[in-house]
Amino acid sequence: MTIATAHARPNIALIKYWGKRDEVLMLPQTGSLSMTLDILPTTTTVELTPAHEADTFILGGTTASQVETERVTRFLDLVRELAGSTTRATVRSRNEAPTAAGMASSAAGFAALAAAASAAYGLELDSRALSRLARRGSGSAARSVIDGFAVWHAGVDDETSFAEAVEAPPMRLVSVAVNAPRKKVSSRDAMRHTALTSPFHSAWVDSTARDLEEMQAACRAQDFTRIGELTESNALRMHAVTQSAQPAIRYLLPESIAVFNAVQELREGGLEAYATADAGPHVFVLTQPEDASAVSDALASLGEVRIAGPGLGVRIEGQGMSTQESGR
Ligand code: DP6
């Protein structure tokens, strides 16, 4: 195959990844746990172009910037190294998620690119190998390879740092897209800056490792209340640690805080809901399926609401089964 198309969706971490122990191999300081969403898919086609001297990257129908293209080329170099190829490629990608607004489009983007590129270059990767490869493009992409709920094991080296599926009770995430400008600091730069300058960063790493253990136990016990509590407090700690960096990085805007406050009021009124947010102003609210419409209606005046359920991990078009289902 010299052309392949893959589809992937964003994921939202319930226990966050925020800090790397190895920036080249993209090894995280802690493991994390997420839900892959069933909305906002990214579709990426990789076509080998033997006559070209450079890769081409077309994002949303227009030629991407030099910086974006270089990031894709660095990723394709990893795939080419695995495949023993020097052939350049054209990458066409479209995503429905607002890019760089904290809707996790880089996770879907690199999961789709990893799958499409490995297929186009003739590699046959199982789910673990695909997750490891996607991780090299963007850490959180390791989790978008997986269906539903995924735990990304921090690992100690390239081989041991990958995501795999975990059992969890039925849940929904209500996304609340607040009316806000494009984010200014990328997750990558912000997590490096936080680790270097926040006196609280090591406490974040220690407490997140504990949160992950507890979250996995709560998922096994199907304890939605505990899952929700851990989700909200871990998110607030991540935002606290970014705000304690020097200079501070603030992703949550007044509009985002209003959603966190409204969610607390919903809980006080007896509706179980818990808020989280990534490196941007949008908020995602975890609920049980039967409460999703009520939560979404209650938050509709604070932003554009959408209910997401657990979605599929990455799929290569024309291959009926995912690599994880086929067990390769
Ligand atoms: C806040 O995966 O985008 O969404 O690995 O540098 O590409 P890089 O960062 P990225 O960071 C995601 C940060 C987060 C938390 C999470 O998804 O776990």
Side-chain angles (χ1 to χ4, degrees), residues 178-262:
V178 300
N179 190 4
R182 203 182 148 97
K183 81 169 172 185
K184 294 190 189 71
V185 192
S186 73
S187 316
R188 184 159 303 180
D189 294 342
M191 67 175 85
R192 182 186 299 129
H193 175 70
T194 309
L196 288 174
T197 66
S198 169
F200 302 155
H201 190 77
S202 61
W204 154 258
V205 170
D206 293 345
S207 69
T208 297
R210 283 195 301 275
D211 282 354
L212 181 62
E213 292 288 312
E214 271 204 62
M215 179 60 96
Q216 287 179 275
C219 286
R220 278 192 298 272
Q222 308 263 312
D223 183 347
F224 175 72
T225 301
R226 192 64 196 130
I227 292 170
E229 287 168 354
L230 286 163
T231 296
E232 191 169 299
S233 76
N234 183 263
L236 289 173
R237 285 178 188 169
M238 186 197 91
H239 287 278
V241 82
T242 71
Q243 293 190 59
S244 66
Q246 190 77 35
I249 297 168
R250 252 188 308 278
Y251 287 115
L252 299 180
L253 298 175
E255 293 84 348
S256 328
I257 305 289
V259 180
F260 275 79
N261 287 341

Side-chain angles (χ1 to χ4, degrees), residues 3-48:
I3 180 166
T5 296
H7 304 276
R9 291 143 207 89
N11 70 78
I12 296 296
L14 309 183
I15 298 297
K16 308 288 186 197
Y17 144 59
W18 196 258
K20 296 178 180 65
R21 55 181 288 211
D22 185 323
E23 295 206 349
V24 175
L25 290 177
M26 306 281 281
L27 303 178
Q29 288 178 303
T30 62
S32 52
L33 190 143
S34 62
M35 179 173 124
T36 300
L37 308 183
D38 62 357
I39 58 171
L40 306 172
T42 290
T43 299
T44 298
T45 300
V46 175
E47 181 172 10
L48 304 198

Side-chain angles (χ1 to χ4, degrees), residues 113-152:
L113 180 60
S118 55
Y121 280 94
L123 295 170
E124 287 203 4
L125 303 183
D126 64 14
S127 163
R128 181 178 300 193
L130 203 50
S131 175
R132 286 171 45 214
L133 177 62
R135 187 197 79 225
R136 301 290 297 273
S138 183
S140 54
R143 299 183 311 237
S144 272
V145 168
I146 307 299
D147 289 2
F149 295 87
V151 60
W152 171 17

